[in-house]
Amino acid sequence: MSGRMMVVRRSRRSADEAKAEILKAAERRLKDGGPEAVRVQLVARDVGLTDAAVHHHFGSREGLMAALLRHCARDLRATLQSDIAGWRGGVPDLARLADLFADFYERRGYARLALWLSLTGVRDKGGGILNDLVDALHAIRVARFQQAGLRAPERADTQYLTALIHTTALGDALLGDAMTRSAGLSPGTAARVGFRRFAIQVFERLLDAPR
Amino acid sequence: MSGRMMVVRRSRRSADEAKAEILKAAERRLKDGGPEAVRVQLVARDVGLTDAAVHHHFGSREGLMAALLRHCARDLRATLQSDIAGWRGGVPDLARLADLFADFYERRGYARLALWLSLTGVRDKGGGILNDLVDALHAIRVARFQQAGLRAPERADTQYLTALIHTTALGDALLGDAMTRSAGLSPGTAARVGFRRFAIQVFERLLDAPR
């Protein structure tokens, strides 16, 4: 590509547009090749920018990776919000929730990205990306406990339950096959599907008031 | 070190002794610096051998890493067996089990090693390292269900439960702080401890017959 073409292409983009395109390219590379495949040089080439331009927008490779994880967190949060809004009659769709986590963490590679950032020492101070899920699950639990004539559970209890659902999804995305094999289950899809179904039943039981 | 000294030192070791020393040095490096710190050259230096000698015993860095994971699996299995033997009166000590997993996976770095191997494409065909745990938990469940006049659960159900305990321990070891923060819990030890206590209570409840 000639220098003139670069100038023309770049001048058409605002800073926000450029950042969005860079993140989109980085997301594709993450999905196809994992964190190691997300390199400033390659991403810059994907979107027709110079390395320097990518560095200008994100500071460093670590900065790009952290921005990518924040981008994912926003996306996950928005998807969750719309999913939760669809829980008719206070019945949460935990199977759909498990699919959502599997899509983000396993298929799109975000579990490995989160781990990569953690190992690189990039500290993410953010928290509460599942706050909407906690709120929705807690409202359901409070209603069910009250209906059973029981004292409502503490919010912290539902926060721990949400963290358990999240931890299970993460571990399953990273090493699910090894986990089912460790318990003597045959390798393959059947064990993975069976495991997810089992976990969902466990979480559904935990939403109910104890009998 | 002179060539003569190398020969003298090496001649004193049998092949098995040398492999055990290499694994011990690799284990130390894994604990202190994670998978990236386990390098053939460094491990060879630690035990006073040449790189070629380490390659001779383990084939490659990947071979050394895979041997290290098998070494850990044997150790975990033996520790589990002795722990399970101490469960008096059919009462499993799930808190001690959680500590055991945290020790192996988080403190000693085996969760990151397992993931490293998986990402490197080294396929571990082994399975069933938690078979003894499955057997012990299943015997307890069968007894409790029968006492409650209920049909005994399928063994597969206990295998899934064991896989859930394992997946939780793995996810917690890798990104426990991020998991509790995602549910809006304050960062730090209190949330981690609270989360582990919650998970143990859930698993204990799952061992019992439904009421």
Side-chain angles (χ1 to χ4, degrees), chain A residues 105-168:
Chain A
Y105 285 157
E106 193 165 352
R107 203 179 61 84
R108 291 167 67 175
Y110 280 101
R112 285 166 60 184
L113 174 64
L115 198 67
W116 188 95
L117 278 165
S118 155
L119 296 183
T120 312
V122 176
R123 282 278 143 249
D124 172 27
K125 295 288 175 204
I129 65 156
L130 301 183
N131 276 349
D132 302 314
L133 181 61
V134 171
D135 288 342
L137 294 178
H138 194 58
I140 288 164
R141 294 184 88 200
V142 167
R144 291 184 185 180
F145 277 58
Q146 283 176 345
Q147 207 155 26
L150 294 167
R151 203 162 60 108
E154 301 279 341
R155 191 169 189 278
D157 198 73
T158 306
Q159 288 178 292
Y160 287 129
L161 171 56
T162 306
L164 181 63
I165 294 172
H166 199 188
T167 304
T168 304

Side-chain angles (χ1 to χ4, degrees), chain A residues 5-101:
Chain A
M5 274 184 69
M6 283 295 291
V7 170
V8 172
R9 280 208 64 182
R10 290 180 64 185
S11 70
R12 287 205 191 120
R13 282 187 265 219
S14 72
D16 282 351
E17 280 168 351
K19 283 169 94 167
E21 278 185 48
I22 292 165
L23 283 178
K24 213 166 161 181
E27 203 176 7
R28 262 195 311 271
R29 291 204 163 265
L30 176 69
K31 187 182 163 190
D32 294 340
E36 288 312 317
V38 187
R39 301 266 171 196
V40 167
Q41 208 180 359
L42 299 172
V43 170
R45 209 180 52 192
D46 290 344
V47 296
L49 286 173
T50 60
D51 300 6
V54 175
H55 279 292
H56 167 73
H57 287 299
F58 294 99
S60 63
R61 182 173 179 221
E62 283 70 26
L64 174 62
M65 300 293 253
L68 188 55
L69 192 65
R70 284 194 300 275
H71 168 74
C72 158
R74 278 192 301 272
D75 195 356
L76 177 63
R77 191 162 193 166
T79 314
L80 265 174
Q81 272 179 333
S82 96
D83 265 31
I84 289 167
W87 290 354
R88 306 284 168 215
V91 180
D93 192 341
L94 296 189
R96 196 179 150 88
L97 182 66
D99 286 345
L100 184 69
F101 279 133

Side-chain angles (χ1 to χ4, degrees), chain B residues 33-139:
Chain B
E36 286 311 318
V38 186
R39 300 266 171 196
V40 167
Q41 208 181 0
L42 299 172
V43 170
R45 209 178 55 192
D46 290 344
V47 295
L49 286 174
T50 60
D51 299 6
V54 174
H55 280 290
H56 167 74
H57 288 298
F58 294 99
S60 63
R61 182 176 179 218
E62 283 70 27
L64 174 62
M65 301 294 253
L68 189 55
L69 192 65
R70 285 195 301 274
H71 169 74
C72 158
R74 279 192 299 273
D75 194 357
L76 177 63
R77 190 159 193 171
T79 313
L80 266 175
Q81 272 180 332
S82 95
D83 265 32
I84 289 166
W87 290 354
R88 306 286 167 210
V91 180
D93 192 341
L94 296 188
R96 196 180 150 89
L97 182 67
D99 286 346
L100 185 69
F101 279 132
D103 184 47
F104 273 81
Y105 284 157
E106 191 165 350
R107 203 180 60 85
R108 292 167 66 176
Y110 279 102
R112 284 167 58 186
L113 174 64
L115 197 68
W116 188 94
L117 278 164
S118 155
L119 296 183
T120 312
V122 177
R123 281 277 144 251
D124 173 26
K125 294 286 174 204
I129 66 156
L130 301 183
N131 276 349
D132 303 314
L133 181 61
V134 171
D135 288 341
L137 294 178
H138 194 58

Side-chain angles (χ1 to χ4, degrees), chain B residues 179-193:
Chain B
M179 293 299 100
T180 44
R181 276 194 291 111
S182 74
L185 293 155
S186 307
T189 313
R192 300 291 301 277
V193 170

